[in-house]
């Protein structure tokens, strides 16, 4: 008798894991997490865009990027019914929420993969299943791609975030 075939899950495996050291991530991922963490503090306080994040995007010649990060942070704040685990910018590992956000943005950047499968179902705010998170994440993913920042390629970029943009951190 033949053994039953293994069932392959339909959800793709995440390239990011909770408690994964940020140093193991590529520049694009580190940059997105840093921007989100800096912006998150302002969003929690009800403030607007971070000038530090704006300077970082200006250095990448993507002046509208800070507004996109602020829009995503605001959408997450209004959509998720629980507090998100987004720590201060100095935290050295990914949280489970940050891993989900990176996974979703990476899925949006790779048009051939189903980003819908990477979308956290708890981010749906409307009873009809629509989410205010989808559009801002999609715009950010597109802008990052335009700037040459592709998520999901690991440390192949060669330069870690703090070494790549030291003038922004000091």
């Amino acid at each position: 008798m033949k053994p039953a075939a293994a069932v392959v899950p339909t959800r793709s495996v995440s390239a990011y894991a909770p408690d994964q050291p940020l140093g193991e991530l590529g520049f694009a991922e580190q940059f997105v997490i840093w921007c989100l963490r800096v912006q998150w503090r302002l969003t929690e306080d009800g403030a607007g865009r971070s000038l530090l994040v704006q300077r970082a995007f200006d250095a990448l010649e993507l002046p509208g990027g800070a507004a996109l990060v602020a829009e995503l942070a605001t959408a997450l704040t209004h959509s998720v019914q629980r507090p998100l685990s987004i720590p201060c910018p100095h935290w050295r590992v990914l949280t489970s929420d940050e891993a989900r956000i990176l996974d979703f943005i990476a899925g949006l950047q790779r048009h051939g993969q189903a980003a819908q499968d990477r979308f956290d179902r708890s981010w749906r705010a409307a009873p009809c299943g629509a989410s205010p998170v989808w559009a801002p994440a999609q715009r950010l993913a597109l802008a990052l791609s335009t700037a040459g920042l592709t998520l999901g390629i690991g440390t192949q970029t060669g330069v870690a975030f703090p070494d790549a943009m030291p003038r922004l951190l000091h």
Side-chain angles (χ1 to χ4, degrees):
M1 180 173 225
K2 268 187 166 176
V7 177
V8 178
T10 55
R11 184 173 166 87
S12 53
V13 178
S14 173
Y16 312 105
D19 297 324
Q20 181 177 6
L22 292 179
E24 293 178 359
L25 301 175
F27 174 79
E29 288 88 353
Q30 290 185 43
F31 183 75
V32 169
I33 291 301
W34 176 81
C35 289
L36 188 60
R37 287 176 178 182
V38 170
Q39 182 60 49
W40 192 255
R41 298 291 157 255
L42 294 175
T43 302
E44 285 181 328
D45 296 338
R49 288 184 296 191
S50 164
L51 294 177
L52 187 57
V53 172
Q54 182 63 53
R55 286 178 36 212
F57 276 102
D58 287 346
L60 293 173
E61 297 179 3
L62 188 63
L68 296 173
V69 172
E71 184 182 11
L72 177 59
T74 300
L76 285 165
T77 300
H78 291 92
S79 301
V80 182
Q81 302 302 314
R82 62 175 176 76
L84 289 176
S85 59
I86 300 178
C88 81
H90 300 290
W91 196 254
R92 295 181 183 265
V93 296
L94 278 180
T95 66
S96 58
D97 288 322
E98 291 170 329
R100 282 192 283 280
I101 291 167
L102 284 178
D103 193 42
F104 181 54
I105 293 172
L108 288 169
Q109 284 187 323
R110 290 187 296 275
H111 302 290
Q113 294 188 1
Q116 183 73 29
D117 290 341
R118 296 170 175 258
F119 186 71
D120 188 322
R121 306 295 185 242
S122 69
W123 296 346
R124 298 188 190 283
C128 65
S131 175
V133 175
W134 190 281
Q138 195 169 34
R139 285 190 286 273
L140 179 60
L142 181 61
L144 292 168
S145 292
T146 302
L149 296 176
T150 305
L151 279 68
I153 58 172
T155 56
Q156 297 172 7
T157 55
V159 180
F161 174 72
D163 296 330
M165 300 181 86
R167 68 175 191 258
L168 295 175
L169 297 175
H170 302 294

